[in-house]
Amino acid sequence: DAKTTQPPSMDCAEGRAANLPCNHSTISGNEYVYWYRQIHSQGPQYIIHGLKNNETNEMASLIITEDRKSSTLILPHATLRDTAVYYCIVRVAAGDDSWGKFQFGAGTQVVVTP
Amino acid sequence: DAGVIQSPRHEVTEMGQEVTLRCKPISGHNSLFWYRQTMMRGLELLIYFNNNVPIDDSGMPEDRFSAKMPNASFSTLKIQPSEPRDSAVYFCASSLGLSEYFGPGTRLLVL
């Protein structure tokens, strides 16, 4: 699976949008981009995933560049409860309902401040 | 749905003792994963099952670790004998393909 590069940390003001970048320049055509987050002392929580198109759900938006070499997770209105480590992961879809493993890196520590 | 259930939530044991961690996946999910998280190594996949069959155990650190999934609703991760370096948070996750859903973890301390 392709590797990802994320900034180690970033701060965001409460109520503002948080834009989390991720580089995955070696991504393959059958690899999806996933985002998870881990709030302190809890298990990782699924946020969103995408292949080519931008995606939006109740938690966040995922913007994937046309060449798929990078993506941005957008938390539209950050709250204090969004303080967490955010992981960007690429994962291969091997076909026939077979999927590659999730490989978690160091992620980005996001701190939302009042 | 109650989500992935893990027990115990905390375990303190002495070196050399056997430790058994338990996991109940989300009903209907056909894949189950065991992860270990430490400050030094981050989140590591130990083993995963598909339809109760172990598919990839390449992440299991050594023979002291073993995992079983006797049925679709239960799995165990056993460490025998335990060592201080096994101290970590152990997560179980389950999946129906697209995404994995994690349990709250078991915090293990081996003295």
Side-chain angles (χ1 to χ4, degrees):
Chain A
D1 292 340
K3 291 187 176 180
T4 62
T5 303
Q6 300 178 252
S9 64
M10 62 183 296
D11 294 338
C12 178
E14 187 178 21
R16 304 293 295 270
N19 297 292
L20 284 61
C22 179
N23 286 322
H24 30 79
S25 58
T26 61
I27 193 169
S28 301
N30 63 344
E31 287 184 311
Y32 284 70
V33 179
Y34 279 78
W35 283 84
Y36 275 76
R37 73 179 182 183
Q38 187 173 24
I39 298 171
H40 183 61
S41 297
Q42 298 183 18
Q45 176 189 23
Y46 166 79
I47 300 174
I48 199 167
H49 75 280
L51 182 62
K52 297 180 182 178
N53 301 321
N54 299 336
E55 302 288 343
T56 296
N57 63 21
E58 65 278 3
M59 290 182 66
S61 295
L62 173 60
I63 308 299
I64 302 174
T65 58
E66 192 169 346
D67 63 8
R68 304 208 322 123
K69 293 184 176 182
S70 65
S71 61
T72 301
L73 179 74
I74 301 173
L75 307 177
H77 305 285
T79 70
L80 299 180
R81 288 174 293 182
D82 290 324
T83 293
V85 177
Y86 287 76
Y87 298 99
C88 172
I89 307 160
V90 292
R91 182 199 196 197
V92 65
D96 296 329
D97 292 329
S98 173
W99 291 84
K101 298 181 287 188
F102 281 110
Q103 295 188 355
F104 288 80
T108 296
Q109 173 66 65
V110 173
V111 177
V112 181
T113 55
Chain B
D1 197 321
V4 176
I5 299 173
Q6 292 187 247
S7 64
R9 294 292 308 277
H10 301 272
E11 177 81 25
V12 180
T13 191
E14 293 186 343
M15 182 174 64
Q17 297 297 306
E18 177 180 295
V19 175
T20 300
L21 311 181
R22 297 172 176 81
C23 176
K24 177 179 170 55
I26 294 172
S27 177
H29 283 190
N30 62 354
S31 296
L32 183 139
F33 308 80
W34 283 102
Y35 288 84
R36 177 174 68 175
Q37 187 171 35
T38 62
M39 288 293 292
M40 290 295 293
R41 300 176 67 89
L43 197 60
E44 304 173 280
L45 177 65
L46 300 178
I47 185 171
Y48 79 92
F49 296 83
N50 195 38
N51 294 321
N52 311 339
V53 176
I55 301 301
D56 185 347
D57 64 353
S58 59
M60 295 285 264
E62 46 196 277
D63 292 344
R64 296 184 298 106
F65 286 69
S66 62
K68 293 182 179 180
M69 191 165 185
N71 57 60
S73 59
F74 183 66
S75 176
T76 59
L77 178 67
K78 184 177 294 186
I79 309 173
Q80 166 63 20
S82 58
E83 297 182 3
R85 58 189 168 132
D86 302 329
S87 297
V89 181
Y90 290 81
F91 289 104
C92 175
S94 71
S95 168
L96 195 51
L98 281 177
S99 307
E100 292 180 21
Y101 296 87
F102 285 74
T106 295
R107 191 171 299 271
L108 174 66
L109 177 61
V110 183
L111 302 174

